[in-house]
């Protein structure tokens, strides 16, 4: 996005000079993220330690709002592509979120006044894959379709209280048996949108600030292609370092019952629990 820097409307010369410097920094280059793929998965079972953690309420939950960060540099377009293959089913395998190394496009920019070249970032592409793994159909109150909206055919007078207790006890954790389909989706979406993409955007901004300082004299690089041969490797090194730091932070984020990704799934569990309660009342169980 493009954000105009604050400038004194009176036309003060110093403000104009500052603006010129800011614009001179330009857009920066970025390449791919660090080598390798990070996987965040939701385990299908938990131990006593996780059960104990489930009893504790965290005071702060990470939330994400649309980006509205004021920047003094014109940032490159940040695009993300998420692949979601058809869901599979297993009572042991976990849903996963994977992030590939982002790629970039950019170009060298000639500063004729200073007789030098800098490098501008044009676009950054972040690609990822979420593979949803649902439990078998017998573990969902509404087994069909896979969005918790179907008939509550798995709910009976004999198991309704067990279902509601499971939902209450494990709304921010791993179910003992009964689950909501959308809980898986909300959990993995949190890893992708509210953890990884936020970190990748911040890493891009940090890299751009550093790349803005790169330059090569026109005497050394006579053409744009010559300048790009010099500047692109330097830009890549700076970008890779920032993205490696972002991936390290992502790997360190909590993914146990009570942590933010599990909190994110709670609305789906609560919504299905409300349906089950209403069904129980209607059936006079």
């Amino acid at each position: 996005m493009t954000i105009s820097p604050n400038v004194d409307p009176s036309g003060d010369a110093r403000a104009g000079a500052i603006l010129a410097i800011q614009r001179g920094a330009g857009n920066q280059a970025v390449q791919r993220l660090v080598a390798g793929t990070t996987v965040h998965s939701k385990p299908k079972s938990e131990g006593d330690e996780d059960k104990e953690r489930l009893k504790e309420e965290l005071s702060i939950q990470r939330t994400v709002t649309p980006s509205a960060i004021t920047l003094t540099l014109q940032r490159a377009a940040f695009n993300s592509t998420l692949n979601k293959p058809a869901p599979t089913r297993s009572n042991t395998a976990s849903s996963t979120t994977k992030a590939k190394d982002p790629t970039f496009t950019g170009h060298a920019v000639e500063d004729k006044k200073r007789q030098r070249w800098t490098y501008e970032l044009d676009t950054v592409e972040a690609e990822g894959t979420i593979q949803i793994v649902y439990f078998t159909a017998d573990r969902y109150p509404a087994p069909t379709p896979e969005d918790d909206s179907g008939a509550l055919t798995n709910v009976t007078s004999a198991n309704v209280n067990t279902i509601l207790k499971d939902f209450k006890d494990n709304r921010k954790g791993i179910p003992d048996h009964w689950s909501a389909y959308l809980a898986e989706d909300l959990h993995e979406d949190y890893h992708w949108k509210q953890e990884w993409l936020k970190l990748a955007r911040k890493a891009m901004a940090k890299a751009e600030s550093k790349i803005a300082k790169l330059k090569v004299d026109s005497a050394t690089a006579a053409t744009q292609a010559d300048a790009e041969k010099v500047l692109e490797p330097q830009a890549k090194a700076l970008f890779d370092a920032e993205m490696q730091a972002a991936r390290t932070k992502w790997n360190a984020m909590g993914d146990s019952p009570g942590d933010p990704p599990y909190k994110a799934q709670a609305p789906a569990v609560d919504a299905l629990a409300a349906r089950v309660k209403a069904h129980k009342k209607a059936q006079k169980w």
Side-chain angles (χ1 to χ4, degrees):
M1 63 182 146
T2 302
I3 303 294
S4 299
N6 295 324
V7 180
D8 186 345
S10 67
D12 185 279
R14 289 189 302 167
I18 292 173
L19 176 57
I21 292 173
Q22 290 175 331
R23 288 177 174 169
N27 297 342
Q28 291 74 38
V30 184
Q31 275 196 343
R32 32 195 293 274
L33 190 65
V34 304
T37 298
T38 296
V39 179
H40 276 275
S41 62
K42 179 181 178 182
K44 291 292 187 181
S45 62
E46 61 177 329
D48 293 338
E49 182 178 347
D50 285 336
K51 283 290 187 180
E52 287 301 315
R53 289 194 61 192
L54 189 57
K55 296 178 183 179
E56 300 177 1
E57 288 293 332
L58 298 183
S59 60
I60 299 177
Q61 176 180 357
R62 291 196 287 271
T63 58
V64 171
T65 56
S67 178
I69 302 174
T70 300
L71 304 172
T72 57
L73 297 175
Q74 180 176 315
R75 299 300 182 190
F78 186 97
N79 305 312
S80 63
T81 301
L82 180 62
N83 304 304
K84 294 191 75 171
T88 61
R89 287 185 183 265
S90 173
N91 290 339
T92 56
S94 302
S95 297
T96 57
T97 298
K98 300 179 181 180
K100 288 187 177 181
D101 297 343
T103 58
F104 78 91
T105 61
H107 65 282
V109 177
E110 185 177 14
D111 184 344
K112 293 183 178 180
K113 182 177 180 179
R114 296 177 175 82
Q115 296 184 350
R116 67 185 186 186
W117 296 86
T118 58
Y119 199 92
E120 287 190 358
L121 172 69
D122 296 323
T123 64
V124 172
E125 181 72 28
E127 184 178 355
T129 300
I130 289 180
Q131 177 62 66
I132 294 295
V133 181
Y134 293 130
F135 293 111
T136 51
D138 61 299
R139 300 184 65 166
Y140 296 95
T144 304
E146 296 174 343
D147 64 0
D148 305 316
S149 66
L152 298 170
T153 55
N154 282 339
V155 181
T156 67
S157 60
N159 67 19
V160 64
N161 290 331
T162 300
I163 293 172
L164 291 174
K165 185 177 186 306
D166 199 344
F167 283 170
K168 180 180 179 181
D169 291 346
N170 301 301
R171 57 192 295 271
K172 299 177 184 178
I174 300 169
D176 295 325
H177 180 87
W178 297 98
S179 188
Y181 282 115
L182 293 182
E184 291 287 334
D185 297 87
L186 292 178
H187 183 106
E188 299 305 323
D189 282 349
Y190 190 96
H191 284 310
W192 174 246
K193 296 177 182 177
Q194 302 188 8
E195 290 183 345
W196 175 242
L197 290 186
K198 281 188 68 178
L199 288 170
R201 286 177 183 273
K202 289 181 179 179
M204 182 188 77
K206 289 181 179 179
E208 283 184 311
S209 296
K210 294 181 179 180
I211 292 169
K213 300 176 183 178
L214 298 176
K215 59 182 179 295
V216 59
D217 294 336
S218 298
T220 302
T223 67
Q224 183 181 45
D226 292 335
E228 289 172 352
K229 288 180 181 179
V230 175
L231 296 176
E232 276 191 8
Q234 297 177 32
K236 178 183 180 301
L238 292 172
F239 184 70
D240 283 353
E242 293 299 334
M243 290 299 178
Q244 177 63 69
R247 191 176 287 274
T248 298
K249 289 179 181 178
W250 194 37
N251 291 341
M253 287 182 166
D255 196 14
S256 298
D259 284 330
Y262 281 91
K263 285 187 174 183
Q265 73 188 29
V269 178
D270 293 344
L272 185 53
R275 286 196 65 204
V276 174
K277 288 179 182 177
H279 184 65
K280 175 185 177 181
K281 182 178 181 180
Q283 297 297 318
K284 299 181 179 180
W285 289 337

